[in-house]
Amino acid sequence: MRVLLTGGAGYIGTHTAIVLTEHGHEVVILDDLSNSSEEAVRRASHLAGTELPLVVGDSADRQLVARTLREQRIDAVIHFASLKSPNQSIAHPLTYYRVNLDSAIAVLEAMSETGVARLVFSSSAAVYEQPGAMLREDAPNGLALGHPYGRSKAMIESIITDAATADPVLQAAVLRYFNPVGAHSSGDIGEDPHDIPNNLMPYLGQVGTGEREQLQIYGDDYDTPDGTGVRDYIHVVDLAEGHVAALEALEPGVLTVNLGTGQGTSVLEALHAFERVVGRVLPHRIVPRREGDSAYATADPTLAHERIGWRARRTFTDAVADQWRWHQANPRGYRG
Ligand code: NAD
Ligand code: WQD
């Protein structure tokens, strides 16, 4: 298939572009480079062994998306393009709703206009109302969620369902990612946050390289085995493979699946795993809980295995080793 990746220059998109190419698909990227760079696409092209065409533009521009679908003879869309920071979404809710909802609607309209029927959508564990252990897809989700980012993803899930009801030709997969981590095993591409990282793993990487002084652990008084928060960290290449599996399993209607490992890792366990690959103790201190955080968020990954034949194969240790290789080789990300 020829697959359009909106937001394909980003962290998950570049890894998915490589895995799609390895599976014999052809990739075209549409990205406004608001949170990525041409350098990321250049490196991903090198790793894919083929030039990944990049259209620089806004995925909320319906005419641009439709023109790209036609001119590039696209068979399927993976819609990654989105703003993605829960904290930023609380400060800038209207921007988050505009960018995320406009992009999703423009992509759906452009697909309908040009007869492209296959869609894979990047959703998030942030859609679940009650984070917890072994979340199943039928756990309550909706609009009473913690932040505008999560709500925007829940709204887009509903929009896709409504679009599929109105147009039975549409074949969509909604993928709810848990915590994507790690990097390509080459260390050439990885997550490159432009500001101080919000997320644990890139922060740990920057403590490892000395870019940041110490990790602040947000609370050690949760009801978990060691008191720190437990998450389901999934290697980004496993996640990328989940997109290929979903794409190849599409059928009319909407299939919603978790992409997670089912394994929980605490903040302290993550810290110690990082220390083992870095080879030294990493400075850290316990600070109060971060607002909005929960004790647990892990996936029940059974449905993805049953419906798209996918399961995560890489361990958390693999992810930490690959992430560290990326940080060591690129301490200032793509700007270095
Ligand atoms: P990322 O920021 O690295 O990638 C998103 C890409 O979209 C960037 O390259 C950015 O430049 C581009 N983009 C943003 N707005 C755009 C627009 N209007 N038009 C065109 N391009 C635009 O983020 P990522 O981690 O690769 O996330 C990809 C998707 O996965 C997002 O939808 C995100 O919400 C979702 N997701 C991410 C995580 C995570 O922790 N990384 C977890 C769950 C879900
Ligand atoms: C993991 C654990 C923190 C940083 C976020 C989004 C979610 C999804 C994935 C997009 C928690 C602790 C963190 C630090 C810490 N993104 N932590 N010190 O919050 O599970 O999920 O990314 O869809 O929507 O909310 O991930 O990496 O921020 O935190 O102690 O400096 O690490 O409290 O227990 P989170 P995270």
Side-chain angles (χ1 to χ4, degrees):
M1 282 185 240
R2 274 179 75 78
V3 190
L4 180 69
L5 273 49
T6 70
Y11 171 47
I12 301 168
T14 43
H15 289 85
T16 304
I18 294 166
V19 176
L20 278 166
T21 310
E22 287 167 354
H23 281 75
H25 298 290
E26 292 173 301
V27 167
V28 175
I29 292 174
L30 188 153
D31 200 299
D32 67 0
L33 304 181
S34 56
N35 196 37
S36 52
S37 62
E38 287 185 42
E39 175 63 10
V41 178
R42 198 186 64 73
R43 293 194 193 184
S45 295
H46 180 73
L47 293 169
T50 182
E51 197 199 326
L52 302 168
L54 168 66
V55 178
V56 178
D58 185 352
S59 55
D61 180 343
R62 181 171 59 88
Q63 287 178 347
L64 172 68
V65 179
R67 193 163 65 242
T68 309
L69 295 177
R70 264 195 216 98
E71 287 178 358
Q72 297 284 345
R73 303 180 319 283
I74 297 295
D75 304 300
V77 178
I78 305 184
H79 181 47
F80 293 108
S82 163
L83 300 178
K84 64 161 184 176
S85 158
N87 284 345
Q88 286 292 314
S89 79
I90 293 167
H92 306 288
L94 301 182
T95 307
Y96 266 70
Y97 286 124
R98 180 171 48 73
V99 172
N100 292 358
L101 295 176
D102 279 6
S103 288
I105 293 168
V107 165
L108 283 161
E109 285 183 334
M111 288 175 61
S112 160
E113 192 182 315
T114 56
V116 175
R118 299 183 184 92
L119 173 69
V120 175
F121 172 62
S122 298
S123 191
S124 170
V127 300
Y128 289 109
E129 253 177 30
Q130 289 292 330
M134 295 296 276
L135 285 161
R136 280 165 42 111
E137 290 78 356
D138 56 5
N141 66 85
L143 301 182
L145 301 163
H147 43 73
Y149 167 72
R151 273 191 280 280
S152 77
K153 291 289 182 187
M155 287 176 191
I156 295 168
E157 289 196 359
S158 299
I159 290 169
I160 293 171
T161 302
D162 291 342
T165 304
D167 180 2
V169 168
L170 188 63
Q171 308 186 7
V174 168
L175 307 181
R176 293 178 177 163
Y177 315 158
F178 278 67
N179 291 54
V181 294
H184 189 269
S185 58
S186 63
D188 286 347
I189 61 168
E191 187 171 12
D192 180 23
H194 288 181
D195 298 319
I196 301 172
N198 282 315
N199 295 119
L200 177 65
M201 292 290 279
Y203 203 102
L204 270 172
Q206 294 192 2
V207 176
T209 58
E211 289 276 302
R212 311 263 160 227
E213 209 174 304
Q214 64 175 356
L215 175 73
Q216 307 195 36
I217 296 181
Y218 298 137
D220 67 350
D221 55 354
Y222 284 105
D223 188 12
T224 59
D226 66 20
T228 64
V230 172
R231 296 291 181 274
D232 187 334
Y233 297 98
I234 173 170
H235 195 298
V236 66
V237 179
D238 278 330
L239 191 70
E241 288 173 353
H243 290 72
V244 180
L247 191 67
E248 293 177 351
L250 283 173
E251 46 188 46
V254 184
L255 172 65
T256 301
V257 294
N258 290 332
L259 294 185
T261 67
Q263 303 292 316
T265 302
S266 75
V267 180
L268 281 173
E269 286 170 336
L271 169 71
H272 296 322
F274 236 94
E275 288 176 333
R276 280 193 291 278
V277 289
V278 176
R280 65 184 172 88
V281 171
L282 297 177
H284 62 274
R285 70 186 171 110
I286 310 291
V287 299
R289 292 180 181 194
R290 181 172 67 179
E291 203 185 323
D293 273 359
S294 58
Y296 284 92
T298 63
D300 179 341
T302 312
L303 193 65
H305 188 243
E306 287 171 2
R307 297 295 300 273
I308 65 172
W310 169 92
R311 64 160 62 108
R313 297 185 294 137
R314 292 162 182 82
T315 64
F316 183 67
T317 309
D318 297 333
V320 172
D322 291 338
Q323 175 129 9
W324 178 233
R325 204 170 297 115
W326 154 251
H327 282 283
Q328 262 188 313
N330 304 275
R332 301 200 59 242
Y334 293 114
R335 282 144 295 167

